[in-house]
Structure formats: structure tokens, C-alpha cells
Amino acid sequence: MSSLFVRTLREDPVDAEVPSHRLLVRAGYIRRAAPGIYTWLPLGLRVFRKVEAIVREEMDAMGAQELQFPALLPREPYEATNRWTEYGPNIFRLQDRKGGDYLLGPTHEEMFTLVVKDLYSSYKDLPVWLYQIQTKYRDEARPRAGLMRGREFVMKDSYSFDVTDAGLDASYAAHRAAYVRTFDRLGFDYVVVRATSGAMGGSRSEEFLASSEVGEDTYVRCTTCDYAANVEAVQVPAPAPVAHDDVPAAHAEKTPDTPTIATLVDHLNEAYPREDRPWHAGDTLKNVLVVLKHADGTREPLAIGLPGDREVDQKRLEGMLEPTEVEPMDEAEFARHPALVKGYIGPGALGSEQASGIRYLLDPRVGEGTRWVTGADTPGSHVIDLVAGRDFTGDGTIEAAQVRDGDACPQCATEGRDGVLETARGIEMGHIFQLGRKYAEALDLKVLDENGKLVTVTMGSYGIGVSRAVPVIAEDNHDELGLVWPREVAPADVHLVATGKDSAVFEAAATLADALAAEGVEVIYDDRPKVSPGVKFKDAELIGVPTIVTVGRGLVDGNVEVKDRRSGVRTEVPVGEAVAHLVGVVRG
Amino acid sequence: MSSLFVRTLREDPVDAEVPSHRLLVRAGYIRRAAPGIYTWLPLGLRVFRKVEAIVREEMDAMGAQELQFPALLPREPYEATNRWTEYGPNIFRLQDRKGGDYLLGPTHEEMFTLVVKDLYSSYKDLPVWLYQIQTKYRDEARPRAGLMRGREFVMKDSYSFDVTDAGLDASYAAHRAAYVRTFDRLGFDYVVVRATSGAMGGSRSEEFLASSEVGEDTYVRCTTCDYAANVEAVQVPAPAPVAHDDVPAAHAEKTPDTPTIATLVDHLNEAYPREDRPWHAGDTLKNVLVVLKHADGTREPLAIGLPGDREVDQKRLEGMLEPTEVEPMDEAEFARHPALVKGYIGPGALGSEQASGIRYLLDPRVGEGTRWVTGADTPGSHVIDLVAGRDFTGDGTIEAAQVRDGDACPQCATEGRDGVLETARGIEMGHIFQLGRKYAEALDLKVLDENGKLVTVTMGSYGIGVSRAVPVIAEDNHDELGLVWPREVAPADVHLVATGKDSAVFEAAATLADALAAEGVEVIYDDRPKVSPGVKFKDAELIGVPTIVTVGRGLVDGNVEVKDRRSGVRTEVPVGEAVAHLVGVVRG
């Protein structure tokens, strides 16, 4: 500790929002170099390398082969797949001295596709699984929580190449199993959830989320079955058609001064009270207007119809429409559609796209036969007893409504159970995708099949946030005193503290440190002569090595103290048995 | 080999200029992603990782501590040291989505200085030696020879921080020793030469050059003593003052149509023949005009006077003036100095800067008392018997003349010997600098000394080209058949070839491969069933693993063949003894 390049801080850094960030800075693991860009100090780098080694071991064990692409990449391959444009402001772009366009790679589908195209030409070469562990770049709008959402970070990304869909399924399954082994070793709680594939294209996709209060991702899990999904991936069970023979014809009614759902519901309960139950927001059909900004620069209006008791979930909406950007419809656009009466928009004005020029997508809950109150396309007027399918139809469905605790579980619904969802928060640590043939088609990756015919290869893409794992492990492994590393990723095995001023203590501690090192045990030895025992213990707890050994007062009785950082349990061990004891502790 | 992600090529890639580049591409170690930007395929990455491990081991062994800075760096620290500007077009610059300026780090003096300033405050904390192994970026004007001069590359850079100059000397010596150990292990011929410190600032500096015909750096070595220096660092021995009492007064003579030195020498030998020896180019004083482009945008004319038998060496000139850029003086600038008569420029027009407005620097050979023929500042006229010190003086000396085989060795000259220099070519693999206090001053890195006084820290900077080492090793370790890796960096220990169609052969080979792997021997097993023995052997020679084992025809007699890739020596080994034999070979 007298020479280790570390300084612990007693105070929390002002810009740290989450415990892991505070502790990693305070304990001297990382330092901020720029927004979302961090430096690994020696202790942090040791943890990072151990995480990296675990990820690499599991990738090698599954038979994936490691290679490494540059981070500085030419524009052309990303142009071919349209991602140069689609990524928008989220990637770093630059020019070289000759004016050539480059980007800092956010992910490498294109490069992997091209290298397989370069080297391979036959079905006999496949499947092949390739990976790299590499520094990647994304110009995040809101870098956050230290290393958790950074702009320079390390990812393991791997890619599978198969001829057949069944092959892709097998490659996907192999990666999924390797990910389970990897995350089991890394030492934090996680959940595997269904996910959307977003800008990556493709079909099947799952996320490995670290369960965490401070996570940015919301996911849902069923309280009854094993269903779990990112909110973006939740598919609301389509209700069975509702009989509507006894529903009166739709009728427009004066509803003065009811531009909001709350005022409308109040008015309905006053002017048109129902016998069975009062009107509530869920009886109303809300029509939300947005504008899609397509990658080619064109803009398209879009209407979303959903129950009035739910908001549009921006992330779900964006997830459905990716890579197209979405923004609220502005006044100028509204003015272009005079049939739209703000606060009183109804299917009359929207109808189908053919009629209105606006695509109209409905929440799955607005199913055949369901009955709604909605705008009558006239100020101060609403339509009552409007029946979906009878009185209006949209141009399709969209999963954009917020998901709430207590919503029906889609899997239970399919299987005839009544399970409900609860929401929780997590941090995306891994993501596996069945990409399919999107990239292979864009970059013309074909191989000869058994019959000598050229076929397009099908791909999977699989990522792990390697640098992100460090704060995620810290988030799940700390207490009020500091970090509490799982042994497999700890920066050292033993934190050895010598206390007092007795030179015999320091000699015994140095001897013990050397003996442990000779056994391959990694030791941080606090040899600082003028630092008080209190400060040394505080530093040891903060740094969070799993085993803290104190050589101090007990030495006169021939003992050292061994403390388990996690449980706090202390054991007196005779100094002569200390090495054997500690080797046993360290090796488990 | 049937599943390894590699394809060997029979043809040389068209863009490869040097053997290492040709072979690394042909043997499937690397692929080009963009000019000067390469992908490591699995075999290449294995070699790279072994090189990296050797560098890391030696840095750790010397007591340096590893950390890691980002590659994407904010402008500010580089602004403080003026390098944001000084690097000119040689660095990649970019802006983030908010318009903030960033660069891709070419070297990290600033960041290391700032982190030490952040963590340390006392002389007791020093010395400290910090390093990183990291991807770096330079926008080279002429990327070359594959990985040898790339735009994205991996360097180990370390930095020492000391309070005293003696401390810096010790830190420098420790690094020098670690570098010798590192390069001894890497397996190529190298030489340590004196160097200039260039844009880095600072004083003492040495380069570790790999001896190579294809190297870009020219260095000189003495044929007598141990002197060796980068040509940029050669200091021409200043001659002792020459007596000139018997030299007649300088006299201008008509020399019509002698704008070049060759025409002048011919004219002199015809019109003014000398008795002792004919006139030659070395008797003339050539005055070369250039323009300096300073970092602040200003331009300054500069005249260089040197013997007419030598050219100005652009690299030496640039090395002397770094970071200022130099270009030839153009017509417009000449027009601004009407006293300069092209082809007949003499010290009359130049004199001292005060008189002419042009700084005039002389080659050290133009010493006190030396006698010259030079321009008389009039067309068709030269001055003869012009004596330096008597008839003209410059504004100082400059080391810009080319260095030639046979030049006097500066060290021998000092020590009274007659050693001469010879030139050779090399590749810069390491560079160690005594930076001194330049960066610490610019970034205000001070610590308290023993007396409680703030003192500025003195620094050293030490680099190794880690990715460059791979082609450099290949350059020094190949033959007409392919690569011949030194064992410590080879992608595998044994290349095992199974030949023929006999399933017993493939079974025996697979068993041997497994048995070797169980012993920790790294094996590439060529299990390809339909590939001819000839192709397999060609691939094995090309890939260049140190030991090639063939299981084939000899198996009926119970033997396998063990071939040393470097010497070509073949040994028949009984199959039952093969594992023990090969473990012995591999472990040396």
C-alpha cells in the first residue's frame, strides 16, 4: 500500500449517482477522464482483467475463436447496411487527413460478415463462431453511472454463421448456455428476458439483465410462471373478440370543456351515469399523434389508439419503430391535417390510412367488439358506444402502451392461467440475437451448399458488456463500508494489514506476505508505517478484498486475525498456520 | 485446421511491400481493414498476445504498475501542452454530439501527468512507474508495410515520476534494463542507439531499433567503438580551429554559368587550378534556404550553410526543428529577399540575422578558420578564399547535413581515435526519453519535498511498439517457405499433420493431439481429410510453428516424424515416446 498507485477518498465524488460509481471512485479503482470516459487505475484494471478472463474462458470453452478488428473503421461497410445513417448521432464519426470517412465501431456485424466472406466459401466451413473482446464507442446522449453507461467501453461481441435456420438455433443455444455459465461465475443476480432486436434486425432475441434498482432497463416477470421480458418485448395478449350485439349504435354527445381524459370521465359520470360501474379512463380510447422521421429524411404522421388509462411508453414505441426516430406531432403538422381536432380526435378523422392519409395503429386491447368513448372530431363532443371492428378499424396493431404491475402475463394467457406481471429494473449485461440474413444479404455473404448452389448465410450476434460488468458486480456486492468483491474477480485474494509501531509486527507481516505470494496468493500488503490502524481498516473495507488479515497486537500470543469481508466473521489463526489456513480459504 | 478460422494464400497480396507483410497475410495472421488499419485473425492474435504478455511480464517484474487510460481523450490537456496544435495532421480529431473536441490518443504523457497530480502530493510517493498497453492512433501520411507503420496500433507506454534528476536517471536506467530483457526475449536482432527526443521534449533519449533492411530509420554505428545513433542524433565532431594566417584575402571571381556545384567545380579546376589537389564539391559552401512554419502560424526564413558535397538530410533537419515544420523556400519568399541571388547566394547576403533578416545556421564542419568557395551574391560570380570566422559568421550551428559511411565517429573523435561510421537501417521498436519537467510544468504537477516546499516533478517516457513487434519478429524469422516463429511467441508449439487416407493415422494423430494438449502443449492439428499431404506441409511451413510433427506412412513402423521448422532437421520418434519427446522439445 505504500507504493501501490491508489488513493482512497473519504468523500463521495459529486458526480456519482449510484453506489458502484461512488465506491469505485472512492476506493481508487477508476477516475473520470471525460464525460462517460474513464481511466482504470491499477486496482480497477485487475478486476476488469479477471472479468475479461472469465468471459474469454467461457467463449473459448464453447469453441468460439477469438480475433480482433480495429476500432477505427471505414465508412463503406456501414454504408452498405445503412447503419452509417441509422446510428444518427449515436456513433463517433471522423475524417482522416485525406478526408476519408471513418467511425469508431459501436458493434462489428459488418466487419465479421466481411471477414467470413473473405475466408470462407463452403457450407463445410460452417458453422463458425467468432468473437472479439474490444474497446467500443457510442456517443451516448446521456452517459450515466460511471462505467455503467459509458462512451468508451469494452464489449465481448461474437457472431455465429450458419447455413440453415436450425443451425442458427443451435448456435444461439450454444451461446445462451455459455452466457449462463459466464454470468453465473461473475457473481451478480441476473435474469434472462425476452427482448426485441431493435436496430440489429433479426428475430429471436434475449437479454441478460443484472437485477438492480439502479438499472435503466425495465423488465417484467410473471408472478406465476417463468415469463420474463424487457418491457419493449412484452406482447399484450390479444383479447378474444367480444360480443357486441346488445351495444347500441354509436352516438355523438355534447361533452363541453372535456379536452382531457379526466374531465371527460367526470363529465360522463355526471351526464351519462352507468348503473353497473362508474366510467373510468380505461373506457376511453386515446389517440396519440406522432411523426416518424425515416432514415431517408422523409416524415410520416402516425396515430396510435390506446385505452385512455395508459400512456404511450416512449421506449416501447421506439423499440417497435427502430431505427426510425419518433417525435411528437408539432403544430405545423397538425395544421396539415385539419380533420384532427385536438382533444377530440376520433376514428372518424383517422379512419384508415387510405381515407385520412395517416396510418392508425391500435393497442391490442382495442380488439374486435370492444366498446369505447372517444373524440367525435368536433370540439366539445365525444362518441359513446363506439365498437371496434363494427364502427372503426385501424391499419394494424402496435405494442406501444405502457406495461404495468398487474397486467396479464402473455404466457399464462396463452396457457389458460391468470398470472400477472410485475415490473422490475435491470442493467443490460448481455444480449443475444438471431440476426438472420440481414447482414449477409446486405454484404453478399454466400456459400456453396451441398448441391453446389450459392446460399445466403444466416447469422447470430451476441454481446457481453465486459467493462460494464465491473460496476454491475460492485452494485450487487457492497455494503455501507465499501466494496465486497466475489473472490473470482477480486483485485487480490488477501488484504494484509500490519498495525502498530512494533517492528516485529511488520517483519512478521512482510514474511507472511512473501510466503502467501510464493503460494500464488495475491496479496495487498498495507505496510504503511505512519498510518493509523483505523485508517488501514477503513481502507481495507472500502477496497473490498474478500479476506482481510491483521497482524498486530495478537502477534504476542502468536496469532493473526483472519476476517471474512462479506460475513465479517473473524478467526484467530496461529501465525505458523496462517499460510496453510489462507491458502485453504482462497482456494475454497 | 478443419475448423480453425484461417485460410492460407498461395499468392502474395498485391499491396504488400515487405516479406513480413506478405507472409502474415498469406499465412492467415492478419487482414487489412483500411489503409494502415488491420484485423488480427486468430493466429495473429495469438502471437500478438504472447508478445503483449512478455512486455507485461517485464514491466511488472521491474515494479511498474499497470493502468489504462481511454483512447478517446478530451482536447484540454493536450491544449495545455500545445500538442493539440503541434501534432498537426498526425492525430485523429473528432467532435462529440455536443461539439466537444476530442482526439484519439497518440501517446499519453498528459493523462499520466494529470493522474499522478490527482493521486499524489508528496516526495514520499515517488518514484512511481506507471504503464499501459493500449491501442493508439496516428494519422500517418504514409502507412506502410502492414502492421509496421499503422494508423491503429498497440503500444506499451510507461512514465516515470521523480523528484530529482538523479532519480530520473535511475528510473531511466531501470527502464533501459527492462527493455533489454524484453527485446532479448522477443527474438529479433536489435541495437540501442542514441536518439533525439523530437516533439517529446526532454534530454537523454535512446531508441531500440530492430536491425532490418526494410526499416525506415537509418542509424549509424562506429566500426571501431560501441557508438551507435539514429542519424538524427549524430553530432558531427566540431573541428579544432584551423590556422588561416596564410590564406589570402577573400576575392570575388567571375564564374560564368556556374549555377550548380558541379559546374562551379569544373570551372574552378579549369580557371583556377590548385597545385596540391583539384577542387572538389567539399571545398564549396552551399547555402540552402528553407521556411519554418511555426505552430502559431508564423513563417520564418532560415539559411543553412554546409559543405557542397553534402545534401541537407530532411529528417535530421526536421528532427532539429521539431515540432516546427520545414518546407523549401518558394519563389514568393525569395522575392521578399532581393539580396538572395539564386545559385550564387553567399554569406554577403546572409551575414547574420540582424543584417539580413534571415537566420543563418552553419554545419559544424564550417568551423573557425575553414576556407570556402561560395556565391558572391551576383549572378556568375563566386568568392574564393572565404574564411569562416574571419570573413563571415553565422547565427549558430545546425546538424542537418547528411551523414555518410566513412564519416568520423563522434565518440572516437572525442577519445582521440580514428573510428568511422557506417550506416544501417532499422525499425524503431522502443524509445526511452528523459522528458524532464516539460509536462509537469505545463500541467502543474508539483509535490512537497522533504522541506515542505513544492517542487516540480521530473518525468521519463518509455514506449514499446507491441503490435509492431509481430511483423518485426516475422521480418527477422522467415525463410522462402514461410514464417519461422521463435518458440516464445509462436501461435502454437506443435503443428501436427495427419497424412493419407488411413483412418488409423487420423486416430493416432487425434490421440497424440489430445495427449499433447493434456500436457499443456499448444497444438494445431491438421485433421483435414481431403487435403493432400503436399498442401498440408506447405501450410505448416507457411504458418511457421516451431515443431512440425507428421503422422503418416511411418506409423506402420510405429513412428512419427518430428521436424524442426527452423533447421529442417527431421527425427523419427516411436509413437509411444512422442509425447515425452515433444514435451522435452517444447520446454527446451
Side-chain angles (χ1 to χ4, degrees):
Chain A
M1 283 293 284
S2 67
S3 58
L4 183 64
F5 191 63
V6 64
R7 278 294 175 275
T8 56
L9 307 174
R10 292 289 159 252
E11 303 294 325
D12 285 336
V14 287
D15 63 336
E17 312 141 31
V18 302
S20 61
H21 188 191
R22 284 198 287 274
L23 289 170
L24 289 170
V25 172
R26 279 188 48 205
Y29 284 71
I30 59 170
R31 281 292 183 275
R32 181 180 174 279
I37 303 176
Y38 286 81
T39 300
W40 295 105
L41 296 180
L43 286 178
L45 190 58
R46 286 197 213 179
V47 175
F48 170 75
R49 293 254 191 260
K50 292 192 179 186
V51 170
E52 187 186 20
I54 290 171
V55 173
R56 180 171 286 123
E57 278 170 31
E58 294 298 341
M59 292 309 297
D60 290 343
M62 74 170 278
Q65 300 184 58
E66 188 177 4
L67 42 69
Q68 183 140 17
F69 283 100
L72 181 62
L73 298 171
R75 169 177 177 160
E76 291 71 24
Y78 287 79
E79 194 69 70
T81 59
N82 206 32
R83 292 212 293 181
W84 174 264
T85 306
E86 282 176 11
Y87 266 115
N90 295 308
I91 56 170
F92 289 102
R93 296 177 176 80
L94 67 158
Q95 291 197 322
D96 72 359
R97 60 160 73 211
K98 292 180 175 163
D101 281 323
Y102 288 80
L103 71 151
L104 298 181
T107 171
H108 281 67
E109 278 75 6
E110 286 82 353
M111 302 304 291
F112 276 89
T113 307
L114 288 172
V115 82
V116 172
K117 181 178 171 180
D118 176 8
L119 266 65
Y120 278 176
S121 57
S122 162
Y123 76 97
K124 289 183 219 159
D125 299 325
L126 303 184
V128 65
W129 303 334
L130 303 173
Y131 79 99
Q132 62 176 351
I133 297 178
Q134 204 217 19
T135 304
K136 299 202 182 299
Y137 297 87
R138 287 189 199 160
D139 196 358
E140 295 282 351
R142 288 170 295 277
R144 185 179 161 269
L147 294 162
M148 206 123 35
R149 181 171 289 281
R151 300 198 294 169
E152 172 171 323
F153 54 95
V154 175
M155 263 185 72
K156 186 287 298 174
D157 51 331
S158 46
Y159 303 87
S160 65
F161 298 85
D162 282 275
V163 176
T164 64
D165 294 349
L168 172 55
D169 282 341
S171 292
Y172 182 91
H175 272 87
R176 194 182 193 284
Y179 274 40
V180 166
R181 284 191 297 272
T182 304
F183 291 120
D184 284 350
R185 287 178 68 185
L186 287 178
F188 55 84
D189 276 343
Y190 69 94
V191 56
V192 189
V193 306
R194 298 169 192 219
T196 52
S197 46
M200 309 295 296
S203 48
R204 192 173 171 202
S205 164
E206 285 167 290
E207 281 176 6
F208 290 72
L209 297 179
S211 313
S212 170
E213 293 287 310
V214 305
E216 283 190 304
D217 285 308
T218 306
Y219 69 96
V220 295
R221 56 193 168 206
C222 178
T223 55
T224 305
C225 76
D226 65 356
Y227 178 85
N230 193 309
V231 282
E232 297 164 47
V234 172
Q235 294 199 324
V236 173
V242 180
H244 53 80
D245 299 343
D246 56 345
V247 180
H251 46 107
E253 301 292 346
K254 291 281 173 209
T255 54
D257 300 326
T258 56
T260 66
I261 287 167
T263 51
L264 173 61
V265 168
D266 286 349
H267 181 84
L268 291 173
N269 279 321
E270 201 172 302
Y272 309 94
R274 280 201 306 208
E275 280 179 18
D276 51 347
R277 59 202 168 97
W279 296 96
H280 66 101
D283 297 317
T284 71
L285 175 65
K286 173 159 68 176
N287 295 302
V288 175
L289 275 299
V290 297
V291 174
L292 309 186
K293 293 168 65 181
H294 293 294
D296 63 4
T298 59
R299 297 165 67 86
E300 182 201 349
L302 176 71
I304 299 156
L306 73 167
D309 61 344
R310 289 183 193 258
E311 300 301 322
V312 167
D313 180 321
Q314 190 66 17
K315 277 190 134 178
R316 270 167 64 78
L317 177 61
E318 285 170 357
M320 288 296 292
L321 300 168
E322 245 179 339
T324 301
E325 285 181 62
V326 191
E327 54 185 39
M329 185 177 281
D330 62 13
E331 295 298 334
E333 185 70 32
F334 261 110
R336 248 169 257 136
H337 302 276
L340 300 176
V341 180
K342 263 194 158 178
Y344 301 92
I345 299 167
L350 295 167
S352 70
E353 191 178 4
Q354 228 173 343
S356 66
I358 299 175
R359 195 145 56 105
Y360 183 35
L361 300 178
L362 296 170
D363 184 79
R365 292 175 191 83
V366 189
E368 177 78 18
T370 52
R371 185 172 173 181
W372 305 94
V373 178
T374 191
D377 304 312
T378 311
S381 193
H382 280 87
V383 182
I384 301 179
D385 291 328
L386 194 77
V387 174
R390 181 187 77 179
D391 303 324
F392 72 102
T393 52
D395 300 297
T397 58
I398 188 167
E399 290 281 0
Q402 62 180 167
V403 178
R404 290 194 306 227
D405 283 5
D407 280 355
C409 165
Q411 187 163 293
C412 285
T414 310
E415 295 167 10
R417 287 187 308 271
D418 288 331
V420 294
L421 301 178
E422 61 179 14
T423 56
R425 298 186 74 78
I427 302 161
E428 184 183 340
M429 277 303 308
H431 203 156
I432 54 179
F433 294 99
Q434 293 199 2
L435 285 180
R437 297 183 170 81
K438 171 179 167 175
Y439 290 90
E441 266 159 17
L443 297 162
D444 198 32
L445 169 58
K446 292 189 169 81
V447 294
L448 291 170
D449 72 4
E450 289 161 294
N451 308 314
K453 238 183 57 185
L454 278 173
V455 291
T456 302
V457 167
T458 182
M459 293 167 55
S461 164
Y462 316 89
I464 291 179
V466 182
S467 50
R468 179 180 286 176
V470 176
V472 162
I473 296 167
E475 203 60 54
D476 212 21
N477 294 275
H478 71 269
D479 60 20
E480 67 288 357
L481 299 173
L483 296 157
V484 186
W485 293 109
R487 192 167 290 284
E488 204 170 357
V489 300
D493 297 311
V494 169
H495 191 122
L496 176 61
V497 177
T499 63
K501 293 176 181 173
D502 186 351
S503 66
V505 163
F506 284 85
E507 277 162 33
T511 304
L512 179 55
D514 291 344
L516 288 168
E519 290 288 333
V521 175
E522 294 172 327
V523 181
I524 295 176
Y525 168 34
D526 195 344
D527 59 340
R528 292 176 293 177
K530 290 182 182 167
V531 174
S532 75
V535 168
K536 288 183 177 180
F537 291 135
K538 272 210 170 67
D539 280 346
E541 306 277 9
L542 180 59
I543 288 171
V545 167
T547 306
I548 300 171
V549 176
T550 306
V551 182
R553 282 188 212 154
L555 192 65
V556 292
D557 306 319
N559 288 331
V560 301
E561 184 194 277
V562 176
K563 179 179 167 186
D564 182 72
R565 171 70 183 88
R566 191 175 292 268
S567 67
V569 171
R570 295 158 197 263
T571 318
E572 293 286 315
V573 177
V575 67
E577 296 166 21
V579 172
H581 178 86
L582 288 166
V583 166
V585 168
V586 166
R587 308 248 160 94
Chain B
M1 282 294 283
S2 66
S3 58
L4 183 63
F5 191 64
V6 64
R7 277 296 175 274
T8 56
L9 308 174
R10 293 288 158 251
E11 302 295 323
D12 285 336
V14 287
D15 63 336
E17 313 141 30
V18 302
S20 61
H21 188 190
R22 283 198 287 275
L23 290 170
L24 288 171
V25 172
R26 278 188 47 205
Y29 284 70
I30 60 170
R31 280 293 182 275
R32 180 178 175 280
I37 303 177
Y38 285 81
T39 300
W40 295 106
L41 296 180
L43 286 177
L45 190 59
R46 287 198 212 180
V47 175
F48 170 75
R49 293 253 191 260
K50 292 193 178 186
V51 170
E52 187 187 19
I54 290 171
V55 173
R56 180 172 287 123
E57 277 170 32
E58 294 298 341
M59 292 310 296
D60 289 344
M62 74 171 278
Q65 300 183 59
E66 187 177 5
L67 43 68
Q68 184 140 15
F69 283 100
L72 181 62
L73 297 171
R75 170 178 178 159
E76 292 71 25
Y78 287 79
E79 194 68 70
T81 58
N82 206 32
R83 292 211 292 182
W84 175 265
T85 306
E86 281 176 11
Y87 267 114
N90 296 307
I91 55 170
F92 289 102
R93 295 177 178 81
L94 66 158
Q95 291 197 321
D96 71 1
R97 58 160 74 209
K98 293 181 175 163
D101 281 324
Y102 288 80
L103 69 150
L104 298 181
T107 170
H108 280 67
E109 279 74 7
E110 286 81 354
M111 302 304 291
F112 276 89
T113 307
L114 288 173
V115 81
V116 171
K117 181 178 170 180
D118 176 9
L119 266 65
Y120 279 177
S121 57
S122 161
Y123 75 97
K124 288 183 219 161
D125 299 326
L126 303 182
V128 66
W129 302 335
L130 302 173
Y131 79 100
Q132 64 177 351
I133 297 178
Q134 203 216 20
T135 304
K136 298 202 184 298
Y137 297 87
R138 288 190 199 159
D139 196 359
E140 296 283 352
R142 288 171 294 278
R144 184 178 162 270
L147 293 163
M148 204 122 39
R149 180 170 289 280
R151 301 199 293 169
E152 172 171 323
F153 53 96
V154 175
M155 262 186 71
K156 186 286 298 173
D157 51 332
S158 46
Y159 303 87
S160 65
F161 298 85
D162 281 275
V163 177
T164 65
D165 294 348
L168 172 55
D169 283 342
S171 292
Y172 182 92
H175 271 87
R176 194 183 193 284
Y179 275 39
V180 167
R181 285 191 299 272
T182 304
F183 292 119
D184 284 350
R185 287 178 67 185
L186 286 178
F188 54 84
D189 276 342
Y190 69 94
V191 55
V192 189
V193 306
R194 300 169 193 220
T196 51
S197 45
M200 309 295 297
S203 48
R204 193 172 169 203
S205 165
E206 286 167 290
E207 281 176 5
F208 290 72
L209 297 179
S211 313
S212 170
E213 293 288 312
V214 304
E216 283 191 302
D217 286 309
T218 306
Y219 69 96
V220 295
R221 56 193 170 208
C222 179
T223 54
T224 306
C225 75
D226 64 357
Y227 178 85
N230 193 309
V231 281
E232 296 164 47
V234 172
Q235 294 198 321
V236 173
V242 181
H244 54 79
D245 299 344
D246 57 344
V247 179
H251 45 106
E253 300 292 347
K254 291 279 175 209
T255 54
D257 300 326
T258 56
T260 66
I261 287 166
T263 52
L264 173 62
V265 168
D266 287 348
H267 180 85
L268 290 172
N269 279 321
E270 200 172 301
Y272 310 94
R274 281 200 306 209
E275 281 179 18
D276 51 348
R277 60 205 167 95
W279 295 98
H280 66 101
D283 297 317
T284 70
L285 175 65
K286 172 158 71 175
N287 295 303
V288 176
L289 275 298
V290 296
V291 173
L292 309 186
K293 292 167 64 180
H294 293 293
D296 63 5
T298 59
R299 298 166 66 89
E300 183 201 349
L302 176 71
I304 299 156
L306 73 168
D309 61 344
R310 287 182 196 259
E311 300 301 323
V312 168
D313 180 320
Q314 191 66 15
K315 276 190 135 180
R316 270 168 63 79
L317 177 61
E318 285 169 359
M320 288 296 291
L321 299 170
E322 246 180 337
T324 301
E325 286 181 62
V326 191
E327 55 185 39
M329 185 176 280
D330 62 14
E331 295 297 336
E333 184 72 31
F334 261 111
R336 250 169 257 135
H337 302 276
L340 300 176
V341 180
K342 264 192 154 181
Y344 301 93
I345 299 167
L350 294 167
S352 68
E353 191 179 6
Q354 231 174 342
S356 65
I358 298 177
R359 196 143 58 102
Y360 183 36
L361 300 178
L362 296 169
D363 184 80
R365 293 173 190 83
V366 189
E368 176 78 20
T370 53
R371 186 171 171 180
W372 305 95
V373 177
T374 191
D377 305 310
T378 310
S381 191
H382 279 87
V383 184
I384 300 179
D385 291 329
L386 193 76
V387 173
R390 182 187 76 178
D391 302 324
F392 72 102
T393 52
D395 300 297
T397 59
I398 188 166
E399 290 282 2
Q402 62 180 166
V403 178
R404 291 194 302 228
D405 283 4
D407 280 353
C409 165
Q411 186 165 293
C412 285
T414 310
E415 295 167 10
R417 287 187 307 271
D418 289 330
V420 294
L421 300 179
E422 60 179 15
T423 56
R425 298 187 75 76
I427 302 161
E428 185 182 340
M429 276 304 307
H431 203 157
I432 54 178
F433 294 100
Q434 293 200 1
L435 285 181
R437 296 182 171 80
K438 171 178 166 178
Y439 290 89
E441 266 160 18
L443 297 163
D444 198 33
L445 169 58
K446 292 190 168 81
V447 294
L448 291 170
D449 72 5
E450 288 161 296
N451 307 313
K453 238 182 58 185
L454 278 173
V455 292
T456 302
V457 167
T458 182
M459 293 167 56
S461 165
Y462 315 91
I464 291 178
V466 182
S467 50
R468 180 180 287 176
V470 176
V472 163
I473 297 166
E475 204 58 56
D476 212 20
N477 294 275
H478 70 269
D479 60 21
E480 67 288 358
L481 299 174
L483 297 158
V484 187
W485 293 109
R487 192 167 290 284
E488 205 171 358
V489 301
D493 298 311
V494 168
H495 192 121
L496 176 61
V497 177
T499 64
K501 292 176 183 174
D502 186 349
S503 66
V505 162
F506 284 84
E507 277 161 35
T511 303
L512 179 55
D514 290 344
L516 288 169
E519 290 288 332
V521 175
E522 294 171 326
V523 181
I524 295 175
Y525 168 35
D526 196 342
D527 59 340
R528 292 176 292 177
K530 291 183 182 167
V531 174
S532 76
V535 168
K536 288 184 176 180
F537 292 134
K538 272 212 171 66
D539 280 345
E541 306 278 8
L542 180 60
I543 288 170
V545 167
T547 305
I548 300 171
V549 176
T550 306
V551 181
R553 282 187 212 156
L555 191 64
V556 293
D557 306 319
N559 287 332
V560 302
E561 184 194 275
V562 176
K563 179 178 168 186
D564 182 72
R565 170 69 183 88
R566 190 174 294 269
S567 67
V569 171
R570 294 158 197 261
T571 317
E572 293 285 317
V573 177
V575 66
E577 296 166 23
V579 172
H581 177 86
L582 288 166
V583 167
V585 167
V586 166
R587 307 248 159 95

